[in-house]
Amino acid sequence: MRHGKKVNHLGRQTAHRKAMLANMACSLIEHKRINTTVAKAKALKQFVEPMITKSKSDTTHNRRLVFSKLRQKEAVTELFRDVAAKVGDRPGGYTRIIKLGNRLGDNADMAMIELVDYNDIYNADKKPKKTTRRSRRGGSTKAVTPPVATNEEE
């Protein structure tokens, strides 16, 4: 039974794991996306999302709570100033994990973890799909273009 065993230890002692997650979170806040293994990305997601939620209300108490985890003043400043302004209306799910395949040297599962609101490719305004249905019965579907009106009278 694995009751009460939520934390993935990642093969590290507690102090090493906390320092590693703090460094990875600072890198994620600074660069908006990082490449790492899938296990570390999942652990980082659990680590960083509560801090992003805290950054949405800018109080001294929340800044001190986040600073005690991150340990870098510049990262805390950027989190509360830039990131919180961008994710202010989102009710959660601030990060996205995209699997990249296996690493060349040791065949580890690699992933890219990124802040959702900073990816312009996925967040581009998507055009609504056409709702017309076409039959499967063959026949030609030639598009008839209307004649173009020219302004030759002037």
Side-chain angles (χ1 to χ4, degrees), residues 45-71:
K45 184 172 188 156
Q46 288 181 340
F47 182 82
V48 80
E49 291 219 359
M51 285 189 272
I52 297 174
T53 303
K54 284 182 181 64
S55 73
K56 288 164 69 172
S57 64
D58 190 3
T59 62
T60 305
H61 181 63
N62 283 344
R63 279 186 180 263
R64 286 178 178 166
L65 286 174
V66 170
F67 182 74
S68 71
K69 300 276 187 183
L70 287 184
R71 309 174 191 167

Side-chain angles (χ1 to χ4, degrees), residues 132-145:
T132 58
R133 298 186 64 168
R134 296 182 184 159
S135 70
R136 294 179 166 211
R137 298 206 173 175
S140 63
T141 56
K142 295 180 182 175
V144 178
T145 57

Side-chain angles (χ1 to χ4, degrees), residues 84-95:
K86 197 132 186 183
V87 300
D89 56 341
R90 183 177 289 274
Y94 311 110
T95 57

Side-chain angles (χ1 to χ4, degrees), residues 8-58:
N8 185 357
H9 296 292
L10 301 172
R12 286 162 173 80
Q13 300 290 325
T14 305
H16 185 188
R17 185 173 57 251
K18 286 182 180 177
M20 182 190 66
L21 288 173
N23 287 332
M24 289 173 63
C26 292
S27 296
L28 179 65
I29 291 166
E30 180 184 351
H31 299 292
K32 310 304 184 247
R33 74 177 52 145
I34 57 172
N35 291 338
T36 182
T37 62
V38 173
K40 286 181 191 173
K42 288 179 179 179
L44 180 62
K45 184 172 188 156
Q46 288 181 340
F47 182 82
V48 80
E49 291 219 359
M51 285 189 272
I52 297 174
T53 303
K54 284 182 181 64
S55 73
K56 288 164 69 172
S57 64
D58 190 3

Side-chain angles (χ1 to χ4, degrees), residues 71-148:
R71 309 174 191 167
Q72 284 188 20
K73 192 184 295 185
E74 296 82 16
V76 173
T77 303
E78 186 168 349
L79 176 66
F80 276 84
R81 183 181 300 143
D82 302 331
V83 178
K86 197 132 186 183
V87 300
D89 56 341
R90 183 177 289 274
Y94 311 110
T95 57
R96 175 188 296 130
I97 296 175
I98 300 171
K99 294 184 180 178
L100 299 176
N102 295 340
R103 189 160 50 197
L104 209 55
D106 59 355
N107 211 29
D109 284 336
M110 296 300 288
M112 176 178 66
I113 182 168
E114 66 181 3
L115 295 175
V116 171
D117 291 315
Y118 284 90
N119 191 334
D120 296 331
I121 297 170
Y122 285 130
N123 295 337
D125 293 330
K126 296 180 181 177
K127 297 177 183 174
K129 292 183 180 180
K130 289 185 178 181
T131 57
T132 58
R133 298 186 64 168
R134 296 182 184 159
S135 70
R136 294 179 166 211
R137 298 206 173 175
S140 63
T141 56
K142 295 180 182 175
V144 178
T145 57
V148 179

